[in-house]
Amino acid sequence: LAGTRIICDRKFLLECKNSPAARTPPCCLPQTPGVTSLAQSSLVKLEELKERNESQEAVPGEQPRATAP
């Protein structure tokens, strides 16, 4: 295998971290659910978990049920 090895020193890389270009996403970046943005199904699952937790906290006398993942 042949290739080019790019070597950067630590100081340069740390300076790049604070660059304004490093803080904004590229303009042509596609929106891919689950990769560049949260997946819609993940948001739905989060809402369901929040509702489940709230309903369990509302009834303190009941034992929490074990649920399958």
Side-chain angles (χ1 to χ4, degrees):
L1 294 172
T4 303
R5 187 174 194 162
I6 299 173
I7 300 174
C8 301
D9 64 345
R10 183 177 187 273
K11 181 183 176 206
F12 172 75
L13 292 174
L14 289 173
E15 288 172 358
C16 288
K17 179 177 79 169
N18 297 325
S19 166
R23 297 186 179 270
T24 57
C27 63
C28 301
L29 189 68
Q31 295 297 319
T32 307
V35 178
T36 58
S37 62
L38 286 176
Q40 185 64 25
S41 61
S42 296
L43 293 174
V44 171
K45 287 180 185 179
L46 282 174
E47 290 297 324
E48 288 175 359
L49 288 173
K50 285 180 187 178
E51 290 173 7
R52 218 179 275 163
N53 287 339
E54 289 172 357
S55 65
Q56 287 177 357
E57 290 173 1
V59 184
E62 284 188 19
Q63 293 290 333
R65 295 183 297 176
T67 57

